[in-house]
Amino acid sequence: QVQVVESGGGLVQPGGSLRLSCAASGRIFSISVMGWYRQAPGNQRELVATVTKDGVTSTADSVKDRFTISRDNAKNTVYLQMNSLKPEDTAAYYCNVQARRLGTIHVEEYWGQGTQVTVSS
């Protein structure tokens, strides 16, 4: 009943930029936290950044000077602006949404399918 769809990944050169988008849709009552995770081959999935409904953000130390997370509550969409990309940023990026469905009182987690970001010259 809740769908999460990411877009914006691709191949970029070191130093380049990408803007990832993630839109949640369906019978949604409200969304609390939205975030981005990433997973490179051989690594565990790691938290990149989160943003609350009120706009409070948290960003991993490894990317906080280069990445910015934001959201548009009216569109149920979260963004990840990635600047000064490095080869070590190469990973599959996943969107995570914590939301209440219409007619429920509990919060559930929803994941996108992932979008590949490759940084290479």
Side-chain angles (χ1 to χ4, degrees), residues 65-81:
D65 58 335
R66 300 180 295 118
F67 293 8
T68 302
I69 190 170
S70 61
R71 65 189 280 175
D72 185 335
N73 290 335
K75 297 182 178 180
N76 287 337
T77 299
V78 62
Y79 307 94
L80 186 67
Q81 179 66 47

Side-chain angles (χ1 to χ4, degrees), residues 66 85 90 96:
R66 300 180 295 118
L85 283 162
T90 296
N96 176 264

Side-chain angles (χ1 to χ4, degrees), residues 20-101:
L20 305 184
S21 298
C22 170
S25 61
R27 298 183 60 80
I28 299 170
F29 176 78
S30 65
I31 297 175
S32 55
V33 180
M34 306 182 81
W36 289 95
Y37 293 72
R38 68 183 183 184
Q39 186 169 21
N43 290 6
Q44 291 187 314
R45 187 170 299 186
E46 64 175 345
L47 177 65
V48 177
T50 61
V51 57
T52 71
K53 185 178 181 179
D54 295 328
V56 179
T57 63
S58 179
T59 309
D61 290 340
S62 60
V63 303
K64 65 173 53 178
D65 58 335
R66 300 180 295 118
F67 293 8
T68 302
I69 190 170
S70 61
R71 65 189 280 175
D72 185 335
N73 290 335
K75 297 182 178 180
N76 287 337
T77 299
V78 62
Y79 307 94
L80 186 67
Q81 179 66 47
M82 304 184 293
N83 299 323
S84 301
L85 283 162
K86 305 174 181 179
E88 48 263 48
D89 295 319
T90 296
Y93 284 72
Y94 297 89
C95 180
N96 176 264
V97 177
Q98 298 180 26
R100 282 180 59 187
R101 289 181 287 123

